[in-house]
């Protein structure tokens, strides 16, 4: 034995001895299809035909009493042994009893049934089978005895009662069947039990008895369906008054029931069938007023259909409005903070025109205050108050209620965190419409004190200006500027007011105070307004000083261009320089503008060389100005300074590295092109000098 074949786990065996040899798969040499093909159906049919016949035990024929006795003894022994093993199995008992019945030994069969009931008397199947055997073989009294015992021991099993009553009814013993029903009714069965009793009486035309059973039925089961069945029974028998009485009693007892909707619908349909349309309409309206909106969907549909059939135009519109009202009620019940649903609901009520309902919906809507004190949650809510106030003023024409609505709204808003200028202004405008100027001033003053806003200041100043109260306007502007000193709009408007009053010095002082503020929201607007003011006043020297002061603060391109345009368009005053004074005024304007452009070009060339595009735009403006002066201008001065526009590419570098190239425009000015040429000449001269020196050596 070699070490290669040995394995310590195999003992004295080798791997070769323990290998499982599988048969070698056969090779199919001829893969062409056979001439006769066999289907799967043929294979299955042949397998079926070749199956062997089932082996069954031979039939036993009993020829005399001895063999019969032996057979019975053997079978009984088998059943008894089986019962001893599985005593609790009711199927074994039933088979045993039926076998005894098949042998016509009814005494033994009864004995088996009784033994089975001693084991499990709660099994209704045993009682049913036992009674069926007695009935099938004609033992009526025995069957009655079994049924009596069964319903006494299992009174809640309805099938036992049904079978017992059915047997008596088949035998024609109607009084016995009625007695059994009465015994059953003492146990207060379910609805089906009562209905079976009623149908039994109706089969024999006992209408009075059936009515009494219905009374007991609705007393035991006071449900909507029970009362409806009672009323339909009376209606079927032509007792309209009794049927109406049933419905009325049901409404008194079950008006707050969950299924009250079906009761009202059935009552209204009953009145509709009796041609009492007004009664039906009253029932529908009563139901819609008392049933919660969430459970009245079907009722609304029925009411709309009823009005379309029997009502006039107003009735139909009322029904449709009621249906839409139900939908909106459902929406606001699910989400009371959905203010869009409240707006739609209010619009619906306003189209109807009932003041009480409109006010009720408004009050319910404004009671849903937003949960958080953040302005974004209040922006839709506040329009409920606005619409409420406008409705009271314009539609209801109740000015006291309008004033109260505005007051309550302003008290509700948390002004320390946020406010709404719209509410303050609407309240003030309302007071002005009521010719209560003192009230309007009081509201606006309160607004400025508690929640100052730009809109409030602007509107308050506009009102006082329309009234001609200049001192009040000045006071308001002062408060406005104390509250917002960086607001250039307020400074400009204040100065404009003084200028309109021909108070030039006051306006200039306001402008001076404004431009000295440390922070401004739009300083360019303020400076432009100041410069325009001085130009309009003809103070050109002051304007130049303003431009110079502005250039001290910023060297923006637009400032230079504006300054140059001002010089080009301004008629110069008497100059101290005699040579300039002798020139034509138009020529003087051109020279002044050129000086400004030259200063700007020098600044961009020396102090801000990276702003090439601004410098190019400045030269374009200068060129346009020279062209506008016609023969007086000199375009060549600017053309020599114009740059060349080149398109270049630069690499785009992102977080992941270079991602591509982008094109941009670069400007090459004349002084930038000459310098590289000089450097090249200098380098060439140096190279030649070195070469000559090396040749001499």
């Amino acid at each position: 034995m070699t070490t290669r074949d040995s394995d310590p786990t195999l003992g004295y065996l080798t791997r070769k001895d323990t290998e499982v040899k599988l048969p070698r798969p056969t090779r199919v040499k001829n893969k062409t299809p056979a001439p006769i093909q066999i289907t799967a159906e043929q294979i299955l049919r042949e397998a079926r035909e070749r199956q062997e016949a089932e082996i069954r035990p031979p039939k036993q024929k009993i020829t005399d009493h001895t063999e019969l006795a032996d057979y019975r003894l053997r079978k009984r022994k088998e059943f008894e042994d089986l019962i001893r093993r599985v005593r609790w199995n009711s199927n074994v008992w039933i088979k045993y009893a039926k076998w005894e019945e098949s042998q016509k030994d009814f005494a033994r069969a009864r004995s088996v049934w009784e033994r089975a009931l001693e084991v499990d008397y709660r099994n209704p199947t045993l009682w049913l089978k036992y009674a069926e055997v007695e009935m099938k073989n004609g033992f009526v009294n025995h069957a009655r005895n079994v049924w009596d015992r069964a319903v006494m021991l299992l009174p809640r099993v309805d099938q036992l009662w049904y079978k017992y009553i059915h047997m008596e009814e088949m035998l024609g013993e109607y009084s016995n069947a009625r007695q059994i029903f009465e015994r059953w009714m003492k146990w207060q069965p379910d609805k089906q039990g009562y209905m079976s009793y009623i149908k039994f009486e109706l089969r024999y035309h006992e209408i009075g008895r059936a009515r009494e059973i219905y009374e007991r039925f609705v007393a035991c089961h006071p449900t909507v369906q029970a009362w409806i069945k009672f009323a339909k029974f009376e209606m079927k028998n032509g007792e309209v008054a009794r049927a109406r009485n049933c419905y009325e009693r049901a409404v008194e007892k079950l008006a707050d029931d969950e299924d009250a909707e079906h009761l009202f619908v059935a009552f209204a349909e009953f009145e509709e069938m009796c041609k009492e349309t007004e009664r039906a309409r009253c029932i529908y309206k009563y139901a819609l007023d008392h049933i919660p909106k969430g459970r009245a969907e079907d009722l609304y549909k029925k009411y709309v259909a009823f009005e379309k059939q029997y009502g006039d135009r107003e009735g139909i519109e009322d029904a449709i409005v009621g249906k839409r009202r139900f939908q909106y009620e459902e929406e606001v019940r699910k989400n009371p903070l959905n203010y869009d649903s409240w707006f739609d609901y209010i619009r619906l009520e306003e189209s109807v025109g009932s003041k009480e309902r409109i006010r009720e919906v408004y009050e319910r809507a404004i009671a849903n205050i937003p949960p958080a004190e953040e302005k974004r949650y209040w922006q839709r809510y506040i329009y409920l108050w606005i619409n409420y106030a406008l409705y009271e003023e314009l539609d209801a024409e109740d000015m006291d209620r309008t004033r109260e609505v505005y007051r309550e709204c302003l008290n509700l808003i948390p002004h320390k965190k946020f406010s709404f200028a719209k509410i303050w202004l609407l309240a003030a405008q309302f007071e002005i419409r009521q010719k209560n100027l003192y009230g309007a001033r009081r509201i606006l003053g309160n607004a400025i004190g508690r929640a100052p806003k730009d809109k409030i200041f602007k509107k308050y100043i506009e009102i006082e200006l329309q009234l001609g109260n200049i001192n009040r306007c000045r006071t308001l502007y002062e408060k406005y500027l104390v509250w917002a000193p960086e607001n250039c709009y307020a400074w400009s408007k204040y100065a404009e007011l003084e200028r309109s009053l021909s108070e030039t010095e006051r306006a200039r002082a306001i402008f001076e105070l404004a431009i000295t503020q440390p922070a401004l929201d739009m300083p360019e607007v303020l400076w432009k307004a100041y410069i325009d003011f001085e130009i309009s006043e003809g103070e050109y020297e002051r304007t130049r000083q303003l431009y110079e002061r502005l250039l001290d603060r910023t060297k923006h391109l637009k400032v230079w261009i504006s300054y140059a345009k001002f010089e080009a368009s301004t008629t110069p005053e008497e100059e101290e320089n005699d040579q300039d004074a002798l020139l034509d005024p138009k020529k003087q304007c051109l020279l002044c503008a050129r000086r400004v452009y030259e200063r700007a070009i020098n600044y961009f060339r020396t102090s801000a060389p990276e702003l090439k595009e601004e410098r190019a735009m400045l030269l374009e403006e200068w060129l346009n100005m020279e062209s506008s002066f016609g023969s007086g201008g000199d375009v060549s001065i600017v053309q020599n300074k114009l740059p060349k526009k080149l398109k270049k590419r630069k690499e785009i570098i992102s977080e992941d590295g270079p991602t591509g190239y982008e094109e941009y425009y670069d400007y090459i000015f004349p002084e930038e092109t000459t310098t590289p040429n000089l450097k090249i000449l200098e380098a060439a001269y140096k190279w030649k000098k070195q070469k000559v020196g090396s040749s001499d050596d």
Side-chain angles (χ1 to χ4, degrees), residues 604-618:
F604 282 112
R605 185 175 63 248
T606 57
S607 301
E610 70 278 0
L611 302 176
K612 293 185 177 183
E613 189 173 357
E614 284 79 357
R615 186 176 167 189
M617 291 171 63
L618 189 64

Side-chain angles (χ1 to χ4, degrees), residues 569-620:
S569 61
T570 305
T571 303
E573 298 175 355
E574 290 294 329
E575 298 289 342
E576 295 180 359
N577 193 341
D578 295 338
Q579 293 180 357
D580 290 345
L582 295 174
L583 295 174
D584 184 49
K586 194 173 183 181
K587 190 70 173 177
Q588 292 182 31
C589 295
L590 180 59
L591 291 173
C592 293
R594 280 178 183 167
R595 292 194 198 105
V596 175
Y597 277 120
E598 287 172 356
R599 284 175 60 193
I601 294 297
N602 289 332
Y603 165 75
F604 282 112
R605 185 175 63 248
T606 57
S607 301
E610 70 278 0
L611 302 176
K612 293 185 177 183
E613 189 173 357
E614 284 79 357
R615 186 176 167 189
M617 291 171 63
L618 189 64
L619 288 169
E620 289 290 336

Side-chain angles (χ1 to χ4, degrees), residues 413-525:
I413 298 171
H415 298 287
K416 291 183 178 180
K417 295 187 177 180
F418 59 86
S419 185
F420 293 93
K422 195 176 189 67
I423 290 291
W424 293 105
L425 296 177
L426 286 172
Q429 288 167 352
F430 164 73
E431 295 295 348
I432 290 172
R433 286 194 293 273
Q434 303 306 312
K435 300 180 180 179
N436 184 6
L437 189 59
Y438 172 75
R441 282 176 175 159
R442 186 177 176 185
I443 290 170
L444 291 172
N446 195 9
I448 291 172
R450 296 177 66 184
K453 283 182 174 291
D454 288 330
K455 287 183 181 179
I456 296 173
F457 277 111
K458 291 174 184 177
K459 194 66 181 178
Y460 197 0
I461 291 168
E462 181 185 343
I463 291 170
E464 294 295 351
L465 194 59
Q466 289 174 352
L467 295 172
N469 295 322
I470 304 302
N471 291 331
R472 282 184 177 272
C473 291
R474 286 174 175 156
T475 305
L476 288 172
Y477 270 121
E478 289 170 5
K479 290 183 179 180
Y480 192 1
L481 293 171
V482 168
W483 173 68
E486 73 283 352
N487 193 329
C488 293
Y489 173 84
W491 289 105
S492 302
K493 286 294 181 181
Y494 192 8
E496 188 180 333
L497 171 68
E498 296 295 350
R499 183 190 168 195
S500 65
L501 298 172
S502 300
E503 295 285 351
T504 309
E505 292 301 322
R506 289 179 68 95
R508 187 174 287 117
I510 291 167
F511 274 124
E512 286 291 336
L513 189 61
I515 62 177
T516 57
Q517 296 299 316
L520 293 170
D521 55 358
M522 290 187 295
E524 66 278 2
V525 175

Side-chain angles (χ1 to χ4, degrees), residues 21-152:
K21 295 182 180 179
L22 297 174
R24 183 177 296 176
T26 58
R27 280 189 174 183
V28 181
K29 295 181 179 179
N30 186 6
K31 296 185 179 180
T32 57
I36 300 174
Q37 296 291 321
I38 301 175
T39 62
E41 182 182 358
Q42 186 177 352
I43 293 171
L44 292 173
R45 186 168 62 248
E46 289 179 1
R48 179 76 177 172
E49 290 172 356
R50 293 178 183 180
Q51 276 185 352
E52 296 180 357
E54 184 180 356
I55 301 172
R56 294 181 181 178
K59 290 185 179 180
Q60 184 181 5
K61 291 185 179 180
I62 299 172
T63 56
D64 57 4
H65 291 286
T66 306
E67 289 181 1
L68 179 60
D70 291 341
Y71 165 72
R72 287 177 175 174
L73 181 62
R74 186 172 65 254
K75 289 294 288 183
R76 285 181 183 130
K77 188 174 183 304
E78 289 175 2
F79 278 120
E80 291 293 340
D81 291 341
L82 192 59
I83 285 169
R84 274 194 293 273
R85 287 200 304 271
V86 286
R87 181 183 177 84
W88 58 87
N89 193 339
S90 60
N91 291 327
V92 176
W93 290 104
I94 292 170
K95 288 180 182 178
Y96 190 7
K98 286 190 174 181
W99 181 81
E100 291 291 358
E101 180 197 353
S102 67
Q103 300 301 313
K104 304 299 180 181
D105 195 343
F106 298 110
R108 283 182 180 275
R110 288 192 191 100
S111 175
V112 173
W113 285 116
E114 294 295 337
R115 287 167 62 195
L117 291 172
E118 287 178 3
V119 173
D120 186 13
Y121 75 92
R122 294 177 182 274
N123 190 347
T125 306
L126 291 175
W127 292 104
L128 291 169
K129 298 287 185 183
Y130 188 7
E132 283 177 5
V133 168
E134 296 291 3
M135 288 190 295
K136 186 168 66 175
N137 294 287
F139 301 110
V140 177
N141 289 327
H142 281 287
R144 283 190 180 122
N145 184 22
V146 173
W147 287 125
D148 276 329
R149 289 163 60 199
V151 298
M152 190 180 297

